[in-house]
Each structure stands twice: as structure tokens, then as C-alpha cells.
Amino acid sequence: STLRLNYYPFLDNIEAVEVAEDGTRLGCETHRDGTLVTILYQPIEGLQVEDDVAGWIDVPPSESNFVINTGALMSRWTNGVFKAANHRVKFVNMERVSVPFFTEPYFYCPIESFTPKNSAQSLLNETVIYGNYLVESNKKFKEYQN
């Protein structure tokens, strides 16, 4: 598992990382975390979660609560029973802190999907080693490219 302390200083003349299709300027790309579960301390505004019906929903900031996201690994492991939360962060050029805790298995753990008991559903994914999965899933982020 990984605990990250992200400090974002105010910077003059900084651009958004990306502009979404709806025109929203983003400070972090639209993505699904590759982990089992992410526990996030996010005391300022900017986080949005995508809903299939309502579209992008603002997650209210809180200094006393945590945001819990299910990740792509949870979706893979549960054969799609739990969906990974698609989310993004709006561009906010101000000094701020974000503290995510990513829950993950150990690097060499085999990830074998399972189906609910008495389910006729077939498996959606082949077994993978978590470390290989992690390396590949992180390639979508700019800081892990090159």
C-alpha cells in the first residue's frame, strides 16, 4: 500500500494539465485509480466523480471526512461487481494538500478474478501478477511516462 502526501504550491503562469471534452480545465487527468480502494483526505474543492446518469459531480471538500474510491483492481478482482470510480481534479492554482492512501496487495500477488457464489457469470479477466498490472496501469499518468 502507498500513502502519498501531495503538496501543490501556488505557481505563477502554470497551465492546466488537460482540458476535458466539456471544457473543464483539469489539474489531474481523468482516471480510475489502479488500486483496490483509495482513501483520500481532500480538504479543498476540485475533485469530481463521474456518474453514469448525472455526469460529473463535485465532491464536497472536508477537513473532517475522507473520500473512498473503489479502484480498477477491485473491479478486476471482483469480476466487475464493484466498479472503479472514474474521477478527475479541476485545475485549482492555489496552495493545497491532498493525501491519498492507496490500498494494494504485495507486488508479486496473483490477481485472479472471482464470481459471486452460485453465479453463472464467466470470468472477465485473466490472472495477472499485481506488480506487472501496476506498472502498466500507471503508464497513463504523465509523471510515469518516459
Side-chain angles (χ1 to χ4, degrees), residues 6-144:
N6 298 320
Y7 170 69
Y8 304 93
F10 171 81
L11 297 171
D12 288 325
N13 301 319
I14 189 169
E15 294 296 320
V17 170
E18 175 180 298
V19 177
E21 289 180 14
D22 64 2
T24 302
R25 297 173 58 216
L26 302 178
C28 181
E29 302 95 336
T30 301
H31 67 282
R32 291 174 175 84
D33 294 342
T35 58
L36 286 167
V37 173
T38 301
I39 304 168
L40 177 66
Y41 174 69
Q42 184 74 26
I44 64 135
E45 64 182 39
L47 181 63
Q48 293 185 316
V49 177
E50 187 174 31
D51 179 81
D52 291 340
V53 176
W56 290 103
I57 300 170
D58 290 318
V59 176
S62 174
E63 292 190 7
S64 60
N65 296 307
F66 294 92
V67 176
I68 310 295
N69 282 338
T70 51
L73 183 59
M74 177 69 82
S75 182
R76 182 181 188 100
W77 224 335
T78 64
N79 207 42
V81 172
F82 291 99
K83 306 293 183 211
N86 198 32
H87 57 285
R88 65 187 188 182
V89 180
K90 294 189 286 187
F91 179 70
V92 179
N93 189 16
M94 62 182 283
E95 183 178 55
R96 62 191 175 94
V97 171
S98 162
V99 184
F101 178 64
F102 303 105
T103 60
E104 310 168 274
Y106 72 99
F107 195 85
Y108 298 103
C109 180
I111 307 302
E112 184 176 351
S113 298
F114 63 89
T115 58
K117 190 174 183 177
N118 300 324
S119 171
Q121 180 183 1
S122 60
L123 293 178
L124 301 174
N125 302 292
E126 295 180 10
T127 299
V128 296
I129 299 301
Y130 177 67
N132 299 336
Y133 166 84
L134 176 66
V135 168
E136 286 303 311
S137 67
N138 279 342
K139 288 181 179 178
K140 66 180 170 263
F141 297 105
K142 289 182 170 65
E143 63 263 31
Y144 292 103

